[in-house]
């Protein structure tokens, strides 16, 4: 998919922004966070505002709790060991739903009249299956029937969530991001059992791909899959239907070169996580994207295609950063993206 929307959302214009955030931000003030992301990324084509996640508020505001709150006919509650599936919605589910509503209210307030791409994040089916526990305390990923039900429930919940976003911000073209940091561990059989002495069996790649495809299919606009873990299965994600791949650029190895080269030539966008997610000195914007330029040269790609193919992001969520650094990092992403467009060589 190029920078022009393919038309399946009924809009024209850029489907992506040149820079965006991954999802989480520090602090607990929904209005302040919405103001930051819209102020930084409001210029259509330049940036892509997103619905912030504020995990510092507690269980239900974390990425697993928020996505659990979206599920249809599946409920989860907090146990000492983590989120566990239950029979009915409890206090934790209600809290997750309430915080999401508060975040959407704030985003709606600061996107009046906005037209352009708007990113919303949710945890993908496999990271969710690795994190949610069945009633017996084992991860859901141990039961493939439960995983199927979970993917179906998530798909229904996302369909309703995206419809809500469209209603609240009528000029927006929603971009769906699925967070899958545990996907590689699921594929390699590295998710620990409740006892922590063993690991659950690796899940068949075709099953993994099929569930991802079903969940992505609920959105008739662009879908990006994010993982800040090493060894992201880029080819599998593309086969499952991802329009863009989001990753921590520092974790790439030369083994990834061919796969990423094929991805770019096939029209897949790269969300390059080049700005550190925790406090530290920021290099100059051109320095932040130097690695991306080097990758292009290694792959023999046309430098003129850089801005059409790359969105600049932090390496991961910013929940662990200070509020001042989080604001600076997002602004830095926007400046780095501009540098990439102005000086692709």
């Amino acid at each position: 998919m190029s920078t022009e929307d393919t038309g399946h959302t009924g809009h024209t214009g850029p489907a992506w922004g040149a820079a965006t955030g991954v999802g989480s931000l520090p602090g607990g003030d929904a209005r302040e966070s919405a103001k930051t992301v819209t102020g930084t990324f409001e210029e259509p084509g330049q940036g892509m505002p997103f619905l912030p996640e504020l995990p510092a508020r507690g269980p239900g505001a974390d990425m697993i709790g928020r996505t659990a709150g979206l599920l249809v006919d599946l409920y989860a509650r907090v146990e000492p060991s983590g989120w566990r599936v239950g029979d009915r919605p409890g206090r934790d589910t209600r809290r997750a739903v309430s915080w999401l509503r508060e975040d959407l209210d704030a985003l709606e307030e600061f996107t009046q009249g906005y037209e352009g791409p708007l990113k919303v994040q949710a945890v993908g089916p496999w990271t969710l299956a690795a994190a949610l526990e069945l009633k017996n305390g084992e991860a859901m990923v141990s039961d493939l029937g439960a995983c199927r039900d979970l993917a179906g429930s998530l798909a229904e919940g996302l369909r309703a969530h995206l419809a809500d976003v469209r209603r609240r911000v009528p000029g927006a073209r929603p971009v769906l991001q699925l967070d899958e940091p545990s996907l590689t561990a699921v594929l390699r059989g590295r998710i620990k059992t409740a006892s922590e002495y063993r690991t659950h069996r690796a899940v068949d790649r075709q099953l993994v791909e099929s569930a991802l495809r079903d969940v992505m299919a609920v959105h008739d606009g662009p879908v990006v899959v994010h993982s800040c873990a090493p060894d992201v299965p880029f080819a599998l994600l593309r086969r499952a239907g991802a329009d863009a791949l989001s990753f921590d650029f520092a974790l790439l190895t030369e083994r990834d070169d061919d796969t990423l080269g094929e991805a770019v030539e096939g029209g897949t966008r790269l969300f390059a996580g080049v700005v550190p997610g925790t406090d530290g000195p920021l290099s100059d914007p051109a320095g932040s994207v130097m690695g991306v330029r080097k990758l292009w040269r290694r792959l023999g790609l046309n430098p003129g295609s850089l801005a059409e193919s790359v969105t600049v992001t932090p390496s991961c969520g910013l929940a662990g950063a200070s509020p001042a650094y989080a604001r600076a990092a997002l602004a830095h992403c926007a400046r780095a993206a501009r540098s990439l467009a102005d000086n692709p060589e």
Side-chain angles (χ1 to χ4, degrees), residues 257-314:
D257 279 10
D258 289 347
T259 314
L260 289 177
E262 281 170 26
V264 171
E265 287 177 337
T268 303
R269 194 170 182 91
L270 305 185
F271 279 45
V274 295
V275 176
T278 48
D279 292 41
L282 290 166
S283 74
D284 67 299
S288 292
V289 285
M290 194 188 302
V292 181
R293 290 194 181 95
K294 283 182 179 165
L295 173 68
W296 243 242
R297 280 201 290 275
R298 274 206 315 275
L299 298 177
L301 294 168
N302 169 16
S305 71
L306 266 168
E308 286 171 28
S309 304
V310 174
T311 293
V312 177
T313 74

Side-chain angles (χ1 to χ4, degrees), residues 79-121:
E79 297 285 336
S81 54
W83 285 88
R84 184 171 295 182
V85 173
D87 294 323
R88 59 182 70 84
R91 184 186 58 201
D92 299 318
T93 303
R94 286 194 292 273
R95 192 188 293 131
V97 170
S98 161
W99 270 328
L100 176 58
R101 194 177 304 122
E102 186 182 308
D103 293 339
L104 284 165
D105 287 347
L107 188 71
E108 183 178 357
E109 179 185 341
F110 288 100
T111 49
Q112 295 295 312
Y114 173 76
E115 293 191 358
L118 175 67
K119 183 165 73 71
V120 295
Q121 306 83 220

Side-chain angles (χ1 to χ4, degrees), residues 18-54:
T20 191
V22 171
S24 67
L25 291 177
D29 187 327
R31 290 186 76 255
E32 189 58 40
S33 301
K35 188 177 170 186
T36 295
V37 300
T38 52
T40 308
F41 298 126
E42 65 194 339
E43 220 179 300
Q46 291 306 305
M48 178 158 53
F50 61 97
L51 177 65
E53 297 163 354
L54 305 174

Side-chain angles (χ1 to χ4, degrees), residues 85-263:
V85 173
D87 294 323
R88 59 182 70 84
R91 184 186 58 201
D92 299 318
T93 303
R94 286 194 292 273
R95 192 188 293 131
V97 170
S98 161
W99 270 328
L100 176 58
R101 194 177 304 122
E102 186 182 308
D103 293 339
L104 284 165
D105 287 347
L107 188 71
E108 183 178 357
E109 179 185 341
F110 288 100
T111 49
Q112 295 295 312
Y114 173 76
E115 293 191 358
L118 175 67
K119 183 165 73 71
V120 295
Q121 306 83 220
V123 177
W126 295 105
T127 295
L128 203 54
L132 288 180
E133 296 173 359
L134 296 164
K135 288 170 192 170
N136 66 4
E138 291 295 351
M140 229 171 184
V141 77
S142 63
D143 180 336
L144 294 179
C147 290
R148 237 188 335 269
D149 293 345
L150 180 65
S153 171
L154 176 62
E156 285 306 303
L158 285 173
R159 190 175 279 125
H161 180 43
L162 289 160
D164 189 21
V165 171
R166 285 194 182 97
R167 194 173 63 248
R168 287 166 173 273
V169 193
R173 293 191 293 285
V175 171
L176 173 62
Q177 175 179 309
L178 294 177
D179 292 316
E180 280 286 10
S182 301
L183 183 59
T184 303
V186 167
L187 288 165
R188 295 187 178 177
R190 291 183 184 159
I191 302 298
K192 283 194 160 74
T193 57
S195 70
E196 302 217 330
Y197 291 127
R198 293 181 22 252
T199 54
H200 293 294
R201 189 177 300 146
V203 180
D204 179 78
R205 294 180 84 83
Q206 284 177 309
L207 274 177
V208 167
E209 191 181 316
S210 164
L212 281 165
R213 185 180 294 112
D214 290 349
V215 173
M216 289 187 210
V218 304
H219 184 40
D220 63 357
V223 179
V224 53
V225 180
H226 168 75
S227 171
C228 45
D231 299 324
V232 180
F234 294 122
L236 182 150
L237 293 173
R238 286 186 65 219
R239 285 197 305 274
D243 300 293
L245 304 166
S246 171
F247 50 90
D248 179 344
F249 195 84
L251 296 179
L252 290 182
T253 67
E254 295 209 357
R255 281 201 314 272
D256 297 310
D257 279 10
D258 289 347
T259 314
L260 289 177
E262 281 170 26

